[in-house]
Amino acid sequence: MTKITNLNTEVESNWCPGCGNFGVWNALKQAIVGQNLDPDKIALVSGIGCSSQINQWINTYGFQSLHGRLLPAATGIKLCNHELTVIAVGGDGDGYGIGMGHFIHAMRRNLDMTYIVTNNQVYGLTQGQTSPTSMKGHKSKSTPFGAIEIPVNPLELALSSGATYISRGYAGDLPHLTNLISDGIAHKGFSFIDVLQPCVTFNKINTYQYFQQRCYKLEDEKHDAADKHAAYIRAGEAWDSKIPIGLFYEEERPTYESEEGALKAGPLAGQSLEGINIERIMRRFM
Ligand SMILES: Cc1ncc(C[n+]2csc(CCOP(=O)(O)OP(=O)(O)O)c2C)c(N)n1
Ligand code: SF4
């Protein structure tokens, strides 16, 4: 096992000063240290967006995929070597817009991986256009007269799609977010963590102050995370005055990899290729 001495890389981040992504970055590093994970056995997979640059600044193995395609990439990595800890991080545009189909199927599949969505309710990298979680009426370059659609509710979607660990954190509450990420990594199955992540440059509504005034913790309300009905009620709460954060729902269900016969002999990456005609396979797929 590689001893963790420093999870930072030599590359300096280019996030705007005050960006909520710094909170996610720090919480994730602390969770990795807290779980005593070997950085050499972590695959940190991302899409495209401000948040998706995170794996350039954490010293684990990493793969930056395409916009909205981080979950297929993470799935492929996990199926090739299910002994790796696979953590996927991307924005709300990435996961709830172009990648929405993958999001739903990954949850019902229940591979043992963690998916963190840094939800800033805008397309940050491309200069703040309205995203699937922007609030109705949100004004931006793409909806100058205000968004007409209602926002996607990712937690309700996760509940109905079969995620086995569903939580919401806030990038401005580091210890709380660290615990959620840590528990998500420890959970056996697909862990989904939606993070309220202020974009200080392009979202002037959902600011630190906005969340500071509204966030309350489910654990303080004695919410029962085994009760799916109660989780739906909490997930459906309007954000007028209060926003619940914490663990909404957790269940145990066999993981995909534990039921996939091809993985019974161990990770595919470690299996012998003796007797397998690679050329024939290559010819078939080329
Ligand atoms: C297929 C494809 N469509 C569009 C883009 C342009 N693009 C790059 S990042 C991005 C949005 C990023 O927003 P989000 O995923 O919410 O992440 P954030 O930057 O806010 O962290 C878009 C539309 C792209 N790179 N690829
Ligand atoms: S544009 Fe927004 S999300 Fe992107 S780095 Fe700046 S503050 Fe963060």
Side-chain angles (χ1 to χ4, degrees), residues 14-16 18-21 50-51 120 124-125 197-202:
N14 61 6
W15 288 322
C16 309
C19 173
N21 278 314
C50 295
S51 45
N120 56 21
L125 189 72
Q197 177 253 309
C199 168
V200 293
T201 303
F202 294 114

Side-chain angles (χ1 to χ4, degrees), residues 71-72 75 95-96 99-115 117 152-167 187-194 228 232 249 251 253-256:
L71 287 177
T75 300
Y96 307 149
M100 176 61 99
H102 302 304
F103 176 50
I104 289 170
H105 292 293
M107 290 188 282
R108 73 185 182 86
R109 195 168 292 132
N110 199 36
L111 279 153
D112 182 19
M113 61 169 74
T114 305
Y115 181 34
V117 179
V152 155
N153 185 323
L155 298 175
E156 287 178 349
L157 270 169
L159 283 163
S160 48
S161 304
T164 49
Y165 175 97
I166 301 170
S167 67
H187 171 82
K188 279 267 158 260
F190 192 92
S191 305
F192 164 60
I193 304 158
D194 180 75
K228 202 166 199 174
Y232 267 111
Y249 183 67
E251 72 172 64
R253 199 170 80 233
T255 60
Y256 184 93

Side-chain angles (χ1 to χ4, degrees), residues 204-247:
K204 303 293 184 190
I205 306 290
N206 309 106
T207 59
Y208 286 102
Q209 197 190 14
Y210 175 93
F211 291 120
Q212 214 75 40
Q213 285 166 350
R214 288 172 173 78
C215 285
Y216 77 93
K217 293 180 180 140
L218 288 172
E219 49 272 33
D220 294 343
E221 303 290 313
K222 302 207 174 5
H223 168 69
D224 177 7
D227 182 343
K228 202 166 199 174
H229 182 65
Y232 267 111
I233 291 172
R234 295 284 181 182
E237 281 182 20
W239 285 14
D240 303 340
S241 57
K242 283 166 73 192
I243 302 175
I245 58 172
L247 177 61

